[in-house]
Amino acid sequence: MANFSEFQPLNENTLIEYIKSIPALSSKLANNFSDISVKEVGDGNLNFVFIVSNSSGSLVIKQALPYVRCIGESWPMTKERAYFESLALKEEGKLCPEHVPEVYHFDRVMSLIGMRYLEPPHIILRKGLIAGVEYPLLAEHISDFMANTLFYTSLLFRSTTEHKRDVAEFCGNVELCRLTEQVVFSDPYKVSEYNRWTSPDLDRDAEAVREDNLLKLEVAELKSKFCERAQALIHGDLHSGSVMVTRESTQVIDPEFAFYGPMGFDIGAYLGNLILAYFSQDGHADQANDRKGYKAWILKSIEDTWNLFHDKFAGLWEKHRNGAGEAYLPAIYNNPEVQLLVQKKYMTDLFHDSLGFGAAKMIRRIVGVAHVEDLESIADTGKRATCERRALNLAKMLLKERRSFESISEIVSAIQQF
């Protein structure tokens, strides 16, 4: 029998031995190991992901490695991220159980999480966006997830005592935060060995990012907010690769970057990835499908996501206005006029934060280390570079001029100008 009292990377054989030793996992397979199937499917940047199934049931095992998988052992990375991912999954699962997979087991020594397998036809949202699939409930579901997880972990709902306790706990996820600081707010704006782009087509564009003083000024402000503003428990990596979908179901996965940070980072990451998907569509268009109808659906999804989030978040605020939340004490904010003033300012600031963070996430996906399959899968480099340049130019404008926008419909109009 293998010994799992010390960390070891699992393979398809040792994983079965591990599952046999954990009742919370083996019971999901009815303790039946005669027809078991194990498949390693981790296509992300960091972890091993195994799908384990038999005729009786299924589960997913995710194991964090002590390095960045897509780079190798030359880039060490803490295994402790699995602990924070399990904490976040459990907390998000409490707040929004319809859209977060259930956690069955966590092993801190092995840096391992056992959780629900999201069975076919669930696919990664990014794959669906590349294939041109419309998801009629996506905006409804994602806005539910964001409104519930962000509101209920903020001071609009909680006391400062509760809030600071959880902020302190998640401060331990510092290495993952530092990785974000590096790849989102630093590397794209300087010469870095990890940066890459579609060369030579975008050589000048990448250089222009590194030479843009106003861009650097704005990204410094966003980095400051990311590092210093413990507004709510954020997923920390809420892009279209962290969402699994069918036409009826939406599940948010992979919150290993979770910490208490600015709400706009999650909202912006998600909207920014939809905008990248929009700009990639011309590269996937062909004679049979010009993708124009699908581009219109993406734009509607962007608009609906923000508007639904805004209304749901404001609705939760109204519902709990006289609750335990200590951001705006009822004894002070005690008349409709002042309540309207603070809510309008809060939501406007959040909108502008979301635009800024979304733009920064777009820029890093074009001239930084980790790109998106939406654009990378465009085989014709000339076409790809054209799509990327349009997205990059929009992102630079949004980052610098975000405060001049008052509504998401103005953003949708702006996207179509590029």
Side-chain angles (χ1 to χ4, degrees):
M1 193 77 171
N3 177 13
F4 301 109
S5 60
E6 293 182 358
F7 177 82
Q8 57 174 289
L10 293 173
N11 58 42
E12 294 181 1
N13 295 320
T14 54
L15 178 61
I16 293 173
E17 291 303 308
Y18 181 84
I19 291 170
K20 285 179 179 175
S21 72
I22 307 292
L25 298 177
S26 57
S27 64
K28 296 295 175 188
L29 305 168
N31 293 294
N32 172 15
F33 295 92
S34 58
D35 63 342
I36 197 161
S37 155
V38 179
K39 190 176 172 192
E40 207 283 307
V41 295
D43 61 353
N45 296 322
L46 298 178
N47 308 291
F48 279 145
V49 181
F50 299 93
I51 297 171
V52 185
S53 61
N54 65 10
S55 53
S56 307
S58 60
L59 53 92
V60 161
I61 298 289
K62 182 172 179 180
Q63 186 179 35
L65 300 170
Y67 53 84
V68 177
R69 183 178 179 179
C70 68
I71 301 290
E73 294 185 26
S74 64
W75 192 332
M77 179 59 55
T78 177
K79 306 188 305 298
E80 274 292 275
R81 63 186 187 269
Y83 169 69
F84 295 104
E85 177 167 7
S86 72
L87 273 189
L89 279 168
K90 289 171 186 173
E91 183 63 26
E92 291 167 352
K94 274 188 233 160
L95 299 173
C96 198
E98 307 86 357
H99 302 304
V100 181
E102 183 185 353
V103 174
Y104 304 143
H105 171 71
F106 173 65
D107 184 332
R108 198 164 186 173
V109 170
M110 291 290 288
S111 303
L112 177 151
I113 305 170
M115 68 185 96
R116 176 191 164 194
Y117 170 48
L118 298 169
E119 65 290 333
H122 280 99
I123 62 166
I124 295 289
L125 173 58
R126 193 182 303 286
K127 304 272 189 191
L129 294 170
I130 293 167
V133 181
E134 294 184 17
Y135 296 99
L137 299 176
L138 180 62
E140 189 72 55
H141 289 170
I142 284 289
S143 59
D144 268 347
F145 173 82
M146 294 193 302
N148 282 288
T149 58
L150 298 177
F151 177 83
Y152 285 115
T153 60
S154 77
L155 288 172
L156 295 174
F157 180 74
R158 309 171 87 200
S159 71
T160 55
T161 306
E162 290 176 291
H163 192 72
K164 281 195 161 44
R165 181 197 64 217
D166 287 352
V167 169
E169 176 79 82
F170 274 92
C171 276
N173 206 13
V174 60
E175 272 201 52
L176 274 285
C177 290
R178 284 182 62 78
L179 179 59
T180 301
E181 290 158 28
Q182 177 184 338
V183 300
V184 176
F185 302 111
S186 299
D187 282 357
Y189 305 92
K190 66 187 181 74
V191 174
S192 165
E193 61 180 304
Y194 298 113
N195 287 347
R196 60 188 183 85
W197 53 83
T198 303
S199 184
D201 308 67
L202 295 187
D203 287 359
R204 182 69 198 101
D205 301 80
E207 188 182 359
V209 169
R210 299 193 301 269
E211 292 175 350
D212 191 325
N213 290 339
L214 284 179
L215 205 60
K216 290 178 180 180
L217 193 67
E218 293 298 341
V219 92
E221 182 179 326
L222 291 171
K223 181 179 179 180
S224 172
K225 280 188 178 175
F226 180 83
C227 297
E228 296 159 4
R229 181 133 205 235
Q231 197 174 20
L233 177 61
I234 66 171
H235 178 286
D237 201 27
L238 191 56
H239 54 72
S240 53
S242 296
V243 181
M244 294 193 73
V245 288
T246 68
R247 285 177 62 83
E248 295 79 33
S249 167
T250 306
Q251 301 289 320
V252 179
I253 60 172
D254 294 352
E256 62 197 324
F257 284 79
F259 77 112
Y260 273 75
M263 296 179 185
F265 191 77
D266 271 4
I267 302 163
Y270 181 74
L271 295 178
N273 273 260
L274 285 187
I275 296 171
L276 289 175
Y278 171 88
F279 282 112
S280 76
Q281 293 303 314
D282 286 355
H284 298 294
D286 54 33
Q287 285 184 319
N289 185 351
D290 63 11
R291 296 283 181 120
K292 284 181 180 168
Y294 194 61
K295 286 167 73 175
W297 178 81
I298 294 176
L299 292 177
K300 184 175 188 309
S301 193
I302 290 166
E303 190 161 358
D304 288 350
T305 299
W306 171 261
N307 286 334
L308 286 165
F309 165 79
H310 178 283
D311 292 349
K312 289 172 185 180
F313 190 93
L316 290 171
W317 190 342
E318 187 57 44
K319 180 180 175 184
H320 297 284
R321 188 177 294 287
N322 296 311
E326 294 189 343
Y328 299 100
L329 298 173
I332 302 171
Y333 302 92
N334 56 1
N335 65 75
E337 291 78 18
V338 73
Q339 290 166 1
L340 197 64
L341 279 172
V342 294
Q343 189 174 99
K344 188 170 189 329
K345 180 174 189 335
Y346 192 102
M347 298 309 289
T348 299
D349 288 348
L350 181 52
F351 181 58
H352 293 154
D353 283 357
S354 301
L355 296 180
F357 285 123
K361 296 281 273 185
M362 290 172 65
I363 291 168
R364 78 84 150 210
R365 292 296 193 179
I366 296 167
V367 298
V369 57
H371 290 208
V372 291
E373 189 184 346
D374 313 61
L375 294 161
E376 293 283 281
S377 59
I378 301 169
D380 182 323
T381 54
K383 268 190 190 173
R384 186 197 316 145
T386 299
C387 295
E388 289 174 328
R389 183 176 290 114
R390 291 169 62 207
L392 185 61
N393 287 339
L394 172 81
K396 287 161 61 177
M397 182 278 290
L398 281 182
L399 195 51
K400 290 186 276 193
E401 299 177 27
R402 64 189 183 278
R403 296 173 201 83
S404 66
F405 291 91
E406 293 182 12
S407 70
I408 195 71
S409 59
E410 292 174 12
I411 298 298
V412 167
S413 297
I415 291 169
Q416 295 172 86
Q417 305 305 311
F418 280 81

